[in-house]
Amino acid sequence: MYRAPVAEIAFTLKHVIGLSPAITAGHMGELSADLLEAILEEAGRFAAEEIAPLNQVGDRRASTYADGAVTLPEGWAKTYSAWCEAGWNALSGPEEFGGQDLPVSLAVAAFDIWNSACAAFALGPTLTVGAVEALKLHATEEIKERYLARLVSGEWTGTMNLTEPQAGSDLGALRCRAERREDGTYRLFGQKIFITYGEHDMAGNIVHTVLARLPDAPAGTKGISLFLVPKYLVNEDGSLGAHNDVFCAGIEHKLGINASPTCTMLYGDGHYGDEPGAVGYLIGEENRGLACMFTMMNNARLMVGIQGVGVAERALQEATAYALERRQGRAPNAPKDGEMSPIVEHPDIRRTLLAMRGLTQASRAICYACAHAIDLADAGAPGPETNGDGTRFWNERASLLTPIAKAFSTDCGVEVASMGIQVYGGMGYIEETGAAQHLRDARIFPIYEGTNGIQAIDLLTRKLPQSDGACVRGYLDELAAIAEVARASNRDEMGKIGERLAAAITDCREASEYLLEEMAAGRMEGALCGATPYLRLFGLAAGGAYLAQGAISSDPSESEAGRLRIATARAFCERLCPQTQALLAEIKEGGQSILQVPAETLASFQ
Amino acid sequence: MYRAPVAEIAFTLKHVIGLSPAITAGHMGELSADLLEAILEEAGRFAAEEIAPLNQVGDRRASTYADGAVTLPEGWAKTYSAWCEAGWNALSGPEEFGGQDLPVSLAVAAFDIWNSACAAFALGPTLTVGAVEALKLHATEEIKERYLARLVSGEWTGTMNLTEPQAGSDLGALRCRAERREDGTYRLFGQKIFITYGEHDMAGNIVHTVLARLPDAPAGTKGISLFLVPKYLVNEDGSLGAHNDVFCAGIEHKLGINASPTCTMLYGDGHYGDEPGAVGYLIGEENRGLACMFTMMNNARLMVGIQGVGVAERALQEATAYALERRQGRAPNAPKDGEMSPIVEHPDIRRTLLAMRGLTQASRAICYACAHAIDLADAGAPGPETNGDGTRFWNERASLLTPIAKAFSTDCGVEVASMGIQVYGGMGYIEETGAAQHLRDARIFPIYEGTNGIQAIDLLTRKLPQSDGACVRGYLDELAAIAEVARASNRDEMGKIGERLAAAITDCREASEYLLEEMAAGRMEGALCGATPYLRLFGLAAGGAYLAQGAISSDPSESEAGRLRIATARAFCERLCPQTQALLAEIKEGGQSILQVPAETLASFQ
């Protein structure tokens, strides 16, 4: 059912987003090309054999709730333990606490595979990795000592507690409160909703990271602090103590990712303990919690992007296999009296499959490029035009690519899953087939960790203006150089990859300059009307460039994979990249049509 | 939860697609504007009060199966009876058999409303209406006498039995067989799958229309005959006789429309009766069954298009209401220290809502225009440039618009439902909210009654070449005239509706001529690679023109609805219509990138 595209993933890392030169330059620590491939190979094996079989059964049986306890579907806890024992949870964790400290790009590639195998399974560790990152950077030594090793190994899992009923995208509205205690600890009170893996039965402890507000905190986002709140208190010797006053009040019935419990969490409602309040420990400084949480959020956003890629890959593989097997009608050039053709021979089906592949592979490369930028920032690698420290350059690059990785990839995840259903025809609508689950699962990705609308606003208002636009301009110059190589290649099978890609990049440049000007002139509403089309435009241009880079690096005479890579890049650049013209036109309309009627008018249904 | 947009529907019928002039010209029989509005008003009331409450409960409880019997969710049968008693099933049925013989456009408008209220409910009568149409045109007088009145009233329901496991899009592959009997009846044997409302408990009899093959029939589609196979045999006096040898072997577990039973039907497997075989009656001539079935299919395709519109309307209404109520963050121009803004004030949300509205309304108008063309053909109304009989003209027009009504509207249905989820944010992913159901329900529409890929191929290879392209050219001339009026209007609030629309129509014209040339030159594979983008392009141009027509006919000083209509048309034409450039570019790439690798290469996952 699922076979990890190890060779394609390794190729993308090494030859498309630049891991090979980074290894050569010594920025990737102990990682070698051989080690990279060995790890991916083993991840692929584990995913296909152990995790993939959980996907459909997890969807059907779902997590269940009773009296504060959540039971994961059968097989879940056992597979999770085996996965942790094999060291997979520790892949990118700090060495000091038992991690392997491997590059983020490799960890993201592994999560690409875990998500293809079962997104609901991969989601738990995704949160744990985020918690590890936040503790590593912001927690006291004592907390690190007490918690990090067991989060790195996966013996314990982590969560992110942000959302409250009245505070979703707007965290400034949150009300969960924290009181100081004389011993330096805190007591938390309040309700959190939509907490992924907030309660479950696959780990010995659950380490919640919780945003809350101190009594004397300023209003809004500047009065939010971050706390660690363990399900079970942890004694000084590391043994588990009493159940903290943390209670799971229920789980949601969702469209998809049914095995992943989405919990309502009550802190300090008196379910457990003698004294009211859930015991919490401050992470970072008081009232600076949002900054710490953003460490986790940025990581989580990239990790959500790769969820989109993972599910798209699975949908693509299954639709392709079905299209090769299912026979209906006769393709245009099939012999008249022969049998029915496999539907893959029908041009419209093949168009669909190549579009699915292009969107999947483009998203993948964007996510990997974002991860690679994080790695290079961590490594203090030089930027392309500096000889010294490139940390700022790579941080800005990672920061720029994060909303695109999150939103473009997850939109593509939904689109590819939906196209997958379409390839199956009527069978795609039957749950048994599995194609519909991919759409149901993927549909959350554009929503959580900041809706894709929020990502687009982030790209427009925070990332585009970085270094007065120089970050975006420099990036687009790099992409344009790829287009130029493609154009100059003079290889027939490359078609018009270079020309079409260059046009898309020019559109992206024009949109960027237009939006910078509009914002500088204070026409913010109009610019915001273009945020979502701008992100899409950016994703098409960047994705097209990475696909083109893959095509440039492929020798079609060498392998089938190379030929497919070139055809995919060509179909993407020639057929999908022209959409950038339309997106640019949409952006440049500003917001007049959208803003010309008052909000209430939108409700005049009759 | 749902309020039928009666005024908007009436406006669209009367002033956008031309019902008012047709009434004036005497082509619409007894129908007057007053009667039209009274009927829609009453349909809206019934839908909102009686049917809409079934939608969510039907989804949750779903139809259930046991021992050949299907039980619909509680309340279903009762509501269906009330609906029939109120005469709704008979709206467009022949007067001779108790129908009201009202125009198809009005029936389609009513189904717009039924589908918004509950698509799974409306689906049953949709099939019955199709069966009525087929019997009316192709059945013997005896069969009409025996079946039609009770199908028209809805006392009995109808089905379409086409699909078999090996024969989906390709009906030529079907194997269900029919044997002649000396009394002129037939005996049917075989299995049909995906039969909507194939078995249920809400009507006294179920009248199956079944495609099957006679022993001496030619292979392929020219050897298919159509039969009527009742669940219960009907005696000469109209009373019900024995249970025919028809057995429901199970129902599917689907992504959505859970209340609508999707049945596997066994004909002649010996479950009932003494003699083997299900008793069938020939409809039309032997081996000419596909032509008869196409009567039903064309009707059904338009009716599926309106399902997309109906669900989109419901998703739009709910998302709009939520966006007006839910507060998060502060909109760009909101007072700094005020409370949170309703999310409708955020430009990206408002952009989404206007896009949802535009796609919904454009799809609606296309479906209505298709229905209106059917009505004018039936009425023998003159075509725009002829003085005499315009039947051929209107038949070609209906024929042209059918695949667009089906595919564009159902793609829009899925898109709008998905956007609706996005407006809800995290709440949209929770089943309780209801937004997710719309996506699950809508996702079948692009698949059944001919996948949207099949529709695109139909548009390209059969409809575009009608009258050597004159049908399409004439239609585009009409659309261009609307664009010209919009351009000449000189009304500020109309923005660039005329210019952008004119450009889209020009793109459609260019795509049409290009594709006609390619097909004439025998480059069919390349043309087929452009089929889906061509249909989308056509839908945008046509939909934009109808929205523009609505804007032209609206006086913004008169009503809020008029102002909203203009803003919607403007957002659609200015922001979405530019996509036609990209689609034209995609079409003109031909199929080189898609066809350059052999099918097997697509499976090289590693």
Side-chain angles (χ1 to χ4, degrees):
Chain A
M1 288 282 281
Y2 168 64
R3 188 168 143 203
V6 170
E8 200 57 33
I9 287 176
F11 178 90
T12 306
L13 286 169
K14 292 193 293 182
H15 305 301
V16 175
I17 59 115
L19 197 62
S20 282
I23 288 173
T24 307
H27 301 313
M28 293 295 115
E30 303 295 304
L31 188 70
S32 65
D34 284 352
L35 179 58
L36 171 85
E37 277 163 31
I39 291 172
L40 291 172
E41 197 66 57
E42 186 52 24
R45 196 201 57 73
F46 193 100
E49 292 175 13
E50 310 286 332
I51 304 177
L54 294 180
N55 197 41
Q56 209 166 5
V57 70
D59 179 60
R60 277 188 208 159
R61 302 210 186 146
S63 283
T64 54
Y65 172 88
D67 302 327
V70 172
T71 307
L72 292 166
E74 207 189 318
W76 222 258
K78 201 178 143 208
T79 304
Y80 177 71
S81 294
W83 185 80
C84 290
E85 273 159 36
W88 292 114
N89 198 70
L91 208 62
S92 62
E95 227 168 337
E96 200 187 338
F97 297 97
Q100 296 169 57
D101 223 0
L102 284 162
V104 175
S105 51
L106 181 57
V108 164
F111 268 97
D112 185 343
I113 293 173
W114 312 133
N115 278 299
S116 287
C118 180
F121 178 90
L123 191 47
T126 296
L127 271 297
T128 305
V129 167
V132 165
E133 197 64 16
L135 296 191
K136 187 176 85 176
L137 292 174
H138 305 293
T140 62
E141 287 308 313
E142 198 189 334
I143 286 182
K144 285 190 204 175
E145 285 299 332
R146 208 168 286 188
Y147 292 93
L148 260 182
R150 289 193 271 190
L151 282 169
V152 167
S153 70
E155 184 187 339
W156 296 350
T157 65
T159 72
M160 280 169 70
N161 286 241
L162 289 80
T163 304
E164 299 175 13
Q166 79 295 344
S169 299
D170 187 350
L171 291 173
L174 66 84
R175 292 182 195 147
C176 192
R177 67 193 166 83
E179 293 174 0
R180 295 182 191 88
R181 286 294 179 269
E182 286 188 357
D183 63 356
T185 66
Y186 297 77
R187 294 294 178 279
L188 273 79
F189 302 88
Q191 184 197 36
K192 294 285 179 180
I193 61 169
F194 299 166
I195 307 310
T196 299
Y197 278 87
E199 179 55 55
H200 58 77
D201 60 356
M202 74 179 186
N205 202 0
I206 302 173
V207 180
H208 301 288
T209 61
V210 185
L211 289 181
R213 199 179 279 290
L214 288 162
D216 50 2
T221 53
K222 286 175 184 158
I224 296 173
S225 305
L226 179 64
F227 300 92
L228 182 155
V229 184
K231 173 180 173 184
Y232 293 107
L233 297 173
V234 181
N235 299 321
E236 264 183 54
D237 64 357
S239 63
L240 292 186
H243 199 303
N244 202 353
D245 195 1
V246 179
F247 181 74
C248 174
I251 61 174
E252 305 289 350
H253 174 213
K254 308 187 299 295
L255 175 60
I257 52 166
N258 289 328
S260 163
T262 302
C263 304
T264 298
M265 301 301 298
L266 302 182
Y267 291 91
D269 81 325
H271 257 85
Y272 298 97
D274 313 322
E275 192 200 352
V279 177
Y281 309 95
L282 186 70
I283 308 289
E285 292 171 42
E286 287 187 352
N287 300 332
R288 301 288 302 276
L290 217 53
C292 304
M293 190 53 104
F294 262 100
T295 306
M296 244 187 286
M297 295 260 293
N298 275 325
N299 175 307
R301 286 173 174 187
L302 170 57
M303 295 300 266
V304 171
I306 208 69
Q307 292 176 338
V309 175
V311 174
E313 171 70 34
R314 181 84 178 253
L316 167 66
Q317 287 192 13
E318 292 176 359
T320 305
Y322 185 76
L324 282 157
E325 181 194 299
R326 170 75 171 171
R327 289 172 179 272
Q328 283 293 277
R330 281 187 189 80
N333 294 337
K336 276 246 163 180
D337 298 324
E339 53 182 352
M340 292 193 286
S341 310
I343 60 172
V344 70
E345 298 288 355
H346 292 292
D348 192 61
I349 296 287
R350 187 153 343 166
R351 177 194 61 75
T352 306
L353 291 172
L354 273 168
M356 290 171 73
R357 182 174 293 277
L359 293 169
T360 303
Q361 189 60 25
S363 302
R364 170 174 286 142
I366 290 170
C367 289
Y368 289 8
C370 181
H372 188 54
I374 294 170
D375 286 332
L376 292 178
D378 287 350
E385 281 165 30
T386 53
N387 292 317
D389 175 48
T391 306
R392 178 194 163 118
F393 176 89
W394 290 114
N395 273 330
E396 284 198 350
R397 172 66 57 88
S399 186
L400 169 65
L401 292 181
T402 297
I404 305 168
K406 198 279 181 179
F408 181 77
S409 303
T410 58
D411 281 342
C412 290
V414 172
E415 289 162 30
V416 170
S418 191
M419 289 190 241
I421 291 177
Q422 197 66 19
V423 169
Y424 274 91
M427 287 303 296
Y429 201 64
I430 307 302
E431 286 289 0
E432 201 184 351
T433 312
Q437 186 192 337
H438 301 320
L439 177 62
R440 289 190 292 100
D441 286 349
R443 191 60 192 81
I444 189 59
F445 308 148
I447 297 173
Y448 62 19
E449 302 312 333
T451 65
N452 284 3
I454 297 279
Q455 304 301 324
I457 294 168
D458 178 53
L459 173 65
L460 174 73
T461 62
R462 293 193 205 97
K463 308 308 170 61
L464 171 56
Q466 286 182 143
S467 296
D468 293 324
C471 170
V472 164
R473 287 186 197 109
Y475 181 63
L476 293 177
D477 289 344
E478 286 178 36
L479 302 186
I482 297 172
E484 188 45 41
V485 174
R487 180 148 58 183
S489 76
N490 272 329
R491 286 157 58 185
D492 267 359
E493 74 277 6
M494 297 274 285
K496 291 179 223 142
I497 289 178
E499 288 80 347
R500 294 292 182 267
L501 177 58
I505 295 164
T506 301
D507 289 338
C508 191
R509 218 187 280 276
E510 196 177 329
S512 303
E513 299 302 338
Y514 169 84
L515 290 167
L516 280 168
E517 278 166 35
E518 290 297 297
M519 289 192 289
R523 289 188 288 271
M524 191 50 93
E525 277 195 300
L528 284 165
C529 289
T532 290
Y534 179 58
L535 190 147
R536 180 75 177 188
L537 197 174
F538 216 123
L540 286 169
Y546 291 124
L547 290 176
Q549 181 61 53
I552 291 165
S553 309
S554 297
D555 181 348
S557 64
E558 235 173 46
S559 71
E560 244 190 332
R563 287 191 288 279
L564 178 55
R565 213 175 280 135
I566 294 166
T568 304
R570 193 174 166 191
F572 190 93
C573 293
E574 291 182 0
R575 304 182 72 89
L576 303 185
C577 277
Q579 291 172 11
T580 58
Q581 307 166 51
L583 294 161
L584 175 61
E586 183 178 356
I587 291 162
K588 291 176 83 173
E589 288 299 342
Q592 289 186 56
S593 60
I594 290 174
L595 305 167
Q596 79 182 46
V597 290
E600 311 80 65
T601 300
L602 289 176
S604 50
F605 296 141
Q606 284 214 318
Chain B
M1 287 285 280
Y2 167 66
R3 187 168 144 205
V6 169
E8 200 56 34
I9 287 175
F11 178 91
T12 306
L13 286 170
K14 291 194 292 180
H15 305 301
V16 175
I17 60 113
L19 197 61
S20 282
I23 288 173
T24 307
H27 301 314
M28 294 294 115
E30 304 294 305
L31 189 69
S32 66
D34 285 351
L35 179 58
L36 171 86
E37 277 162 32
I39 291 172
L40 290 173
E41 197 66 56
E42 185 52 23
R45 195 202 57 73
F46 192 101
E49 292 175 14
E50 310 286 331
I51 304 177
L54 294 180
N55 198 41
Q56 210 167 4
V57 69
D59 180 60
R60 277 189 208 159
R61 301 212 186 144
S63 283
T64 54
Y65 173 88
D67 301 328
V70 171
T71 308
L72 291 166
E74 208 188 317
W76 221 258
K78 201 179 142 207
T79 305
Y80 176 72
S81 293
W83 185 81
C84 291
E85 272 158 36
W88 292 115
N89 198 71
L91 208 62
S92 61
E95 226 168 336
E96 200 187 340
F97 297 97
Q100 297 170 55
D101 223 358
L102 285 161
V104 175
S105 51
L106 181 58
V108 165
F111 268 96
D112 186 342
I113 293 173
W114 312 133
N115 277 299
S116 287
C118 180
F121 178 89
L123 191 47
T126 298
L127 272 298
T128 305
V129 168
V132 165
E133 197 65 15
L135 296 191
K136 187 177 85 176
L137 293 174
H138 305 292
T140 62
E141 286 309 312
E142 199 190 333
I143 286 183
K144 285 191 206 175
E145 286 299 331
R146 206 168 286 186
Y147 293 92
L148 258 182
R150 289 194 271 191
L151 283 169
V152 167
S153 70
E155 183 187 339
W156 296 350
T157 65
T159 71
M160 281 169 70
N161 286 240
L162 288 80
T163 305
E164 299 175 12
Q166 79 295 346
S169 299
D170 187 351
L171 291 173
L174 67 82
R175 290 180 194 149
C176 192
R177 67 195 167 82
E179 293 175 2
R180 294 182 192 91
R181 287 291 179 272
E182 285 188 1
D183 62 357
T185 66
Y186 296 77
R187 292 296 177 279
L188 273 77
F189 302 88
Q191 185 197 35
K192 293 286 180 180
I193 61 168
F194 299 166
I195 307 309
T196 299
Y197 278 87
E199 178 57 53
H200 59 77
D201 59 355
M202 74 179 186
N205 202 1
I206 302 172
V207 180
H208 302 287
T209 60
V210 185
L211 290 180
R213 201 180 277 289
L214 288 162
D216 51 2
T221 53
K222 287 176 185 158
I224 297 174
S225 305
L226 179 64
F227 299 91
L228 182 156
V229 184
K231 174 180 172 184
Y232 293 108
L233 297 172
V234 181
N235 299 321
E236 265 183 53
D237 64 357
S239 62
L240 293 185
H243 199 303
N244 202 353
D245 195 1
V246 178
F247 181 74
C248 173
I251 61 174
E252 305 289 351
H253 174 213
K254 308 186 299 294
L255 176 60
I257 53 166
N258 289 328
S260 163
T262 302
C263 305
T264 298
M265 301 302 297
L266 302 182
Y267 291 91
D269 82 325
H271 257 85
Y272 298 98
D274 313 322
E275 192 201 351
V279 178
Y281 309 96
L282 186 70
I283 309 290
E285 293 171 40
E286 287 186 351
N287 299 333
R288 300 287 301 275
L290 217 52
C292 304
M293 190 54 103
F294 262 99
T295 305
M296 246 188 285
M297 295 260 294
N298 275 325
N299 176 305
R301 285 172 175 187
L302 169 57
M303 296 300 265
V304 171
I306 208 69
Q307 293 177 337
V309 175
V311 174
E313 171 70 34
R314 180 84 177 253
L316 167 66
Q317 288 192 14
E318 292 177 358
T320 304
Y322 184 77
L324 282 157
E325 181 194 298
R326 170 75 172 171
R327 289 173 180 272
Q328 284 292 279
R330 281 185 189 81
N333 294 338
K336 276 247 161 177
D337 297 324
E339 53 183 352
M340 293 192 285
S341 309
I343 60 172
V344 70
E345 297 289 355
H346 293 291
D348 192 62
I349 296 286
R350 185 144 355 158
R351 177 194 61 75
T352 306
L353 291 172
L354 272 169
M356 290 170 73
R357 182 174 293 276
L359 293 169
T360 303
Q361 190 58 26
S363 301
R364 170 174 287 140
I366 290 170
C367 288
Y368 290 8
C370 180
H372 188 54
I374 294 170
D375 286 331
L376 292 178
D378 287 351
E385 281 164 31
T386 54
N387 292 316
D389 174 48
T391 307
R392 179 194 162 119
F393 175 89
W394 290 114
N395 273 330
E396 283 198 351
R397 172 66 57 88
S399 185
L400 169 65
L401 291 180
T402 296
I404 304 167
K406 198 279 180 178
F408 182 76
S409 303
T410 58
D411 281 342
C412 289
V414 172
E415 288 162 31
V416 170
S418 191
M419 289 190 241
I421 292 178
Q422 197 67 18
V423 170
Y424 274 91
M427 287 303 296
Y429 201 64
I430 308 300
E431 287 288 0
E432 201 183 351
T433 311
Q437 186 191 339
H438 301 319
L439 176 62
R440 288 190 292 99
D441 286 350
R443 192 60 192 83
I444 189 59
F445 307 149
I447 297 173
Y448 61 18
E449 300 313 331
T451 65
N452 284 3
I454 298 280
Q455 304 301 324
I457 294 167
D458 177 52
L459 174 64
L460 174 73
T461 63
R462 293 192 204 95
K463 307 308 169 61
L464 171 57
Q466 285 181 144
S467 295
D468 293 324
C471 171
V472 164
R473 287 186 198 109
Y475 182 63
L476 293 177
D477 289 344
E478 286 179 35
L479 302 186
I482 296 172
E484 188 45 41
V485 174
R487 178 148 58 182
S489 76
N490 272 330
R491 286 158 57 185
D492 268 0
E493 73 276 7
M494 297 275 284
K496 291 178 222 142
I497 290 178
E499 289 80 348
R500 294 292 181 267
L501 178 58
I505 296 164
T506 301
D507 288 339
C508 191
R509 218 187 279 278
E510 196 178 330
S512 304
E513 299 303 336
Y514 169 83
L515 290 168
L516 280 169
E517 277 167 37
E518 291 296 296
M519 289 192 288
R523 288 187 288 271
M524 191 49 93
E525 278 195 300
L528 284 165
C529 288
T532 289
Y534 178 58
L535 190 146
R536 179 76 178 187
L537 195 174
F538 216 122
L540 286 169
Y546 292 124
L547 290 175
Q549 181 60 53
I552 291 164
S553 310
S554 298
D555 180 349
S557 65
E558 235 173 47
S559 71
E560 242 189 335
R563 286 191 288 279
L564 179 55
R565 214 176 278 134
I566 293 166
T568 304
R570 193 174 166 191
F572 190 93
C573 292
E574 290 182 0
R575 304 182 70 90
L576 302 186
C577 276
Q579 291 172 11
T580 58
Q581 308 166 49
L583 294 162
L584 175 60
E586 183 179 356
I587 292 162
K588 291 176 82 173
E589 288 300 341
Q592 289 186 57
S593 59
I594 289 174
L595 305 167
Q596 80 183 45
V597 291
E600 312 80 64
T601 299
L602 289 176
S604 49
F605 296 140
Q606 285 214 317

